[in-house]
Amino acid sequence: MKSLITGLAMATALMVTTTTQAAAGDKLLLKTPVAFSTALPGLGTPIPRVAEKVAIMSGGTLKMKVYEPGKLVPPFEILEAVSSGKINSGYTTAGYWAGKIPAAPLFSAVPFGPEAGEFMAWMYYGDGLTLYQRMYDDAGFNVKVLPCAVIAPETSGWFAKEINSPEDLKGLKMRFFGLGGKVMEKLGVATSLLPGGEIFPALEKGAIDATEFSMPAIDQRLGFHKVVKYNYFPGWHQQATVFELLINKDVWNDASEQHQNILAEACKASMADSFAEGEAMQFDALQKNVEENGVEIRKWSPEMLAVFKDTWEEVAAEESANDAFFKEVYENMATFRTGYDLWESNAFLPRLN
């Protein structure tokens, strides 16, 4: 009996030691530079929450260290840095890679495109996520992509003067993001894509005349209202914007199934959480802009929205003609949206002004 007890004790000790060694060898630290300050609500705040949750869910074997913009690599270099293995992960948005991959902005924000719920439906239960990963694979980037946050509509822009016609846009120098920037260029606007931290100084010095960036609560933190007072809605260019966690493909493939699932599910939860956060904070920001900051809120006329939409359709046709994968993704999204329209038109109350 004594020998049996001794044997069981030795077996238990061996099992504990083996388990401990396995757990120690299975630890993963993701060093994650971000493209947006974590002080920006809804834009930068999701990823620190993801970092907190993955550490808890993994029992501390999976950790994420978040680096503010520019502290590890510049925001516009995150994709190549993750792909090369210089860093093992990064948090950004696919719209920043338009110069490298023409279809990339379609996985970030689409003019007159899907709202957040529809975007997520296409991503998770349509072909979106498969096409998203294929895009990076086909372009030769060694990354695993996980959609990890989504925000509600952005403002359409901040201007120093009223914009009442397409002629009022001509000659403006404006910070603009993604595919919407191509629309503005066709309308005579000289666009540039500046990181968030560089926009206010550019406005203040007159390097740009106008800007768009994000939702009111985020724009307010950056102080645009101190320089330009006309804030236009709706954000036709970004009715929803998706953000991505990129992980080096070799690191992802070497990670345990548990860690892979924790990351995927934490990011999926973050999609819902970030959307809710964004929706909850905008009305206070709008009220403060009007009552305290002297901002004049303007809505685009139906005629101006028609101009933007017609111009966007020209851009979409040109981009589709120039890049086969852009065409495939855009048509896939359009097919999904056609089916979704049947549901949306019947299920939701009409929006009344």
Side-chain angles (χ1 to χ4, degrees):
M1 184 69 176
K2 182 178 180 181
S3 61
L4 177 60
I5 294 173
T6 303
L8 286 171
M10 291 177 63
T12 301
L14 180 61
M15 184 171 65
V16 170
T17 301
T18 303
T19 303
T20 303
Q21 289 174 343
D26 195 34
K27 287 185 177 180
L28 175 59
L29 171 64
L30 293 179
K31 295 184 176 181
T32 312
V34 298
F36 316 96
S37 167
T38 59
L40 294 177
L43 195 62
T45 49
I47 200 66
R49 292 198 294 265
V50 171
E52 179 184 356
K53 297 303 181 186
V54 298
I56 293 171
M57 288 190 287
S58 68
T61 62
L62 172 60
K63 294 183 178 180
M64 183 182 293
K65 185 174 182 181
V66 176
Y67 294 83
E68 294 295 331
K71 294 297 183 183
L72 205 55
V73 296
F76 293 157
E77 296 178 17
I78 288 175
L79 172 60
E80 290 186 347
V82 175
S83 179
S84 69
K86 180 180 178 181
I87 52 177
N88 60 10
S89 65
Y91 177 74
T92 179
T93 185
Y96 281 169
W97 322 131
K100 301 177 177 70
I101 313 171
L106 292 172
F107 296 97
S108 181
V110 182
F112 297 92
E115 297 177 2
E118 185 181 2
F119 217 147
M120 286 189 280
W122 176 69
M123 280 280 189
Y124 292 117
Y125 292 96
D127 297 324
L129 199 52
T130 299
L131 290 166
Y132 200 173
Q133 183 62 56
R134 201 183 109 203
M135 176 185 75
Y136 285 125
D137 294 343
D138 290 353
F141 288 100
N142 188 40
V143 298
K144 170 68 177 179
V145 62
L146 296 172
C148 211
V150 63
I151 59 174
E154 298 192 349
T155 84
S156 192
W158 292 82
F159 298 85
K161 62 178 184 178
E162 287 189 80
I163 307 295
N164 296 312
S165 70
E167 286 69 32
D168 293 334
L169 291 170
K170 290 179 180 177
L172 288 180
K173 295 173 291 183
M174 187 172 185
R175 187 271 182 195
F176 220 96
F177 174 82
L179 293 165
K182 292 182 179 290
V183 173
M184 297 299 275
E185 287 170 4
K186 273 187 169 290
L187 295 172
V189 178
T191 68
S192 57
L193 183 59
L194 300 174
E198 296 179 19
I199 299 174
F200 182 83
L203 280 171
E204 195 173 36
K205 294 174 183 176
I208 56 175
D209 307 307
T211 188
E212 64 76 44
F213 185 63
S214 194
M215 300 182 293
I218 297 169
D219 290 352
Q220 194 173 89
R221 292 288 185 97
L222 295 176
F224 301 154
H225 60 273
K226 297 176 183 177
V227 185
V228 284
K229 296 294 187 180
Y230 291 97
N231 192 198
Y232 274 79
F233 294 84
W236 56 268
H237 64 303
Q238 286 178 256
Q239 283 290 285
T241 309
V242 174
F243 302 90
E244 61 186 14
L245 178 64
L246 297 174
I247 303 168
N248 178 272
K249 198 75 166 290
D250 298 328
V251 171
W252 174 265
N253 290 337
D254 287 343
S256 67
E257 185 178 4
Q258 180 192 31
H259 285 171
Q260 289 179 351
N261 276 276
I262 287 173
L263 287 165
E265 294 306 312
C267 276
K268 189 179 286 189
S270 177
M271 294 285 278
D273 185 55
S274 57
F275 179 57
E277 180 187 21
E279 290 284 74
M281 69 178 70
Q282 303 316 316
F283 37 87
D284 286 341
L286 283 169
Q287 186 174 19
K288 183 177 180 180
N289 275 342
V290 172
E291 296 180 358
E292 299 179 29
N293 296 333
V295 172
E296 296 193 36
I297 291 176
R298 293 286 186 269
K299 293 197 74 173
W300 294 117
S301 67
E303 293 77 18
M304 282 297 292
L305 285 175
V307 168
F308 290 135
K309 191 171 191 299
D310 290 345
T311 309
W312 158 241
E313 289 173 356
E314 291 177 20
V315 169
E318 290 170 1
E319 294 294 310
S320 294
N322 291 334
D323 186 82
F325 188 68
F326 184 103
K327 183 175 187 289
E328 180 182 351
V329 175
Y330 189 63
E331 288 182 349
N332 186 282
M333 180 185 286
T335 299
F336 185 90
R337 298 195 71 198
T338 298
Y340 184 85
D341 282 345
L342 179 61
W343 160 248
E344 184 178 44
S345 62
N346 286 286
F348 295 92
L349 287 168
R351 292 179 179 173
L352 305 175
N353 291 327

